[in-house]
Amino acid sequence: MTDAAELLLRVREFLAAHPPATTERSDFLSARFDAGLAWVHYPAGLGGLGAARSLQAVVDAELEAAGAPDNDPRRIGIGLGMAAPTILAYGTEEQKRRFLRPLWVGEEVWCQLFSEPGAGSDLAALGTRAVRDGADGDWIVNGQKVWTSSAHLARWAILIARTDPDAPKHRGITYFLCDMTDPGVEVRPLRQITGEAEFNEVFLTDVRIPDDRRLGPVGEGWKVAQTTLMNERVSIGGMRLPREGGMIGPVARTWRDRPELRTHELHQRLLTLWVEAEVARLTGERLRQQLAAGQPGPRDRV
Ligand SMILES: Cc1cc2nc3c(=O)[nH]c(=O)nc-3n(C[C@H](O)[C@H](O)[C@H](O)COP(=O)(O)OP(=O)(O)OC[C@H]3O[C@@H](n4cnc5c(N)ncnc54)[C@H](O)[C@@H]3O)c2cc1C
């Protein structure tokens, strides 16, 4: 497996067996995962077919044209773009089977507990501590994280913590999968000037994490985190925005909702901004499609 023609056939058979119009959204997504059409470059049995990553565009286009529901990638972006590839690269078989399916289907939202008040750009300076309770026991985690997007929605978090304060700072870190519903995890929203609260502070007080939720070896958390961060760059760069999906959205909504504020000058400025946002969005989308199809992007032509 698999070339584009074979894949298209497989998608059409899948659609015939699970017509989007009459299949429950969650049933459709679960069946799509089980059919290996979730992320085709993942291994068989974990939502994929071991196919070339670029072939995902073939699946997505065919499903979109058939009116199929998606897994709301904006809501679960941290799981899809960052937690999943890290679990795939470093997880045990049991961790992969436990976490990847509910993550992709959207049943479990993930967040990223990396940044701290004293560890932003210099992430390896992080102070959150994980201390083992006995030689083979659970890890007890204490510390504070900040700027945690979606922590208020998340069931799980990717977490890095210091396990060896005597080692050089990049070496003393270990990577964990943290259950956000565990006792000792407290999420406090950070309200922005827009009134929204997308980010949070997260306080961890004596949070008990079993050793089977450690991802990768003890002390190798910095290396594991590099996989997350490399994938974060790719996933942010490849994000698909719907029309009015960025900051232009609230501006356009305010224009529609508050006619008493309208002036000719504001109308002109709004139209200019709206067109610029839409051109940027469509240009990005076209580039994303070109790259997914293996066609050269602008940098290749320089
Ligand atoms: C939209 C958004 C969402 C985020 N979501 C999450 C999340 O879900 N989970 C998470 O863990 N983190 C998240 N973060 C945090 C992010 O990953 C970075 O940790 C953070 O933006 C950088 O840290 P800081 O804000 O403490 O800035 P600082 O590290 O304090 O940097 C402040 C400024 O100083 C500059 N600077 C820093 N060090 C140096 C230096 N040595 N030399 C010269 N200049 C320097 C920086 O470039 C920057 O301009 C998010 C951030 C944003 C903006």
Side-chain angles (χ1 to χ4, degrees):
M1 186 70 185
T2 291
D3 65 16
E6 256 181 284
L7 194 56
L8 207 50
L9 201 63
R10 193 183 267 256
V11 176
R12 287 178 184 159
E13 281 169 8
F14 176 79
L15 283 167
H18 305 87
T22 53
T23 310
E24 267 299 310
R25 180 174 182 274
S26 61
D27 292 344
F28 185 92
L29 293 172
S30 301
R32 180 176 162 187
F33 187 92
D34 294 337
L37 298 172
W39 31 34
V40 294
H41 58 295
Y42 273 50
L46 295 174
L49 299 165
R53 188 183 191 132
S54 58
L55 289 175
Q56 188 65 46
V58 173
V59 177
D60 291 348
E62 191 67 11
L63 291 176
E64 200 174 321
D70 68 19
N71 57 353
D72 199 356
R74 292 194 77 201
R75 179 172 166 269
I76 59 170
I78 292 174
L80 288 176
M82 293 146 70
T86 316
I87 293 171
L88 184 67
Y90 286 96
T92 59
E93 282 313 305
E94 202 182 331
Q95 286 172 333
K96 290 179 205 171
R97 299 218 170 269
R98 162 63 187 86
F99 292 113
L100 291 178
R101 191 172 189 271
L103 180 160
W104 189 88
V105 170
E107 287 165 359
E108 292 180 343
V109 175
W110 285 71
C111 67
Q112 179 196 26
L113 293 175
F114 279 23
S115 304
E116 299 183 3
S121 305
D122 186 11
L123 181 59
L126 59 87
T128 293
R129 288 278 280 123
V131 177
R132 203 127 197 218
D133 186 12
D136 298 320
D138 297 340
W139 295 87
I140 310 296
V141 181
N142 282 284
Q144 185 201 337
K145 299 290 178 174
V146 74
W147 306 125
T148 319
S149 317
S150 305
H152 53 302
L153 308 171
R155 167 66 208 279
W156 292 98
I158 44 178
L159 163 74
I160 47 177
R162 187 161 304 286
T163 45
D164 184 354
D166 299 325
K169 66 179 179 180
H170 293 87
R171 298 252 178 85
I173 294 171
T174 302
Y175 199 117
F176 298 95
L177 308 175
C178 174
D179 185 341
M180 294 294 285
T181 65
D182 269 349
V185 178
E186 188 196 344
V187 177
R188 294 188 200 161
L190 289 168
R191 197 154 296 282
Q192 296 151 238
I193 197 168
T194 55
E196 293 163 297
E198 298 165 46
F199 312 106
N200 304 272
E201 295 176 294
V202 177
F203 293 82
L204 305 161
T205 310
D206 291 332
V207 178
R208 191 169 274 278
I209 300 185
D211 192 49
D212 63 8
R213 284 206 240 112
R214 171 169 49 80
L215 195 65
V218 175
E220 296 285 325
W222 185 253
K223 192 171 155 205
V224 183
Q226 291 312 305
T227 298
T228 308
L229 297 172
M230 294 304 282
N231 279 283
E232 178 172 6
R233 291 178 192 113
V234 173
S235 77
I236 290 175
M239 211 171 263
R240 293 178 76 178
L241 272 186
R243 177 166 288 171
E244 296 188 5
M247 278 312 293
I248 195 67
V251 178
R253 273 197 296 285
T254 307
W255 175 265
R256 292 185 193 110
D257 295 347
R258 304 282 303 274
E260 75 278 12
L261 299 178
R262 292 178 190 171
T263 63
H264 176 70
E265 197 213 335
L266 276 178
H267 192 214
Q268 294 308 309
R269 281 174 63 196
L270 174 64
L271 286 178
T272 307
L273 286 171
W274 196 95
V275 169
E276 283 172 2
E278 186 63 4
V279 168
R281 184 181 76 83
L282 293 173
T283 307
E285 177 63 16
R286 203 173 56 210
L287 185 59
R288 197 186 69 79
Q289 285 169 358
Q290 277 178 1
L291 294 174
Q295 292 168 8
R299 196 183 289 176
D300 299 309
R301 295 203 193 100
V302 174

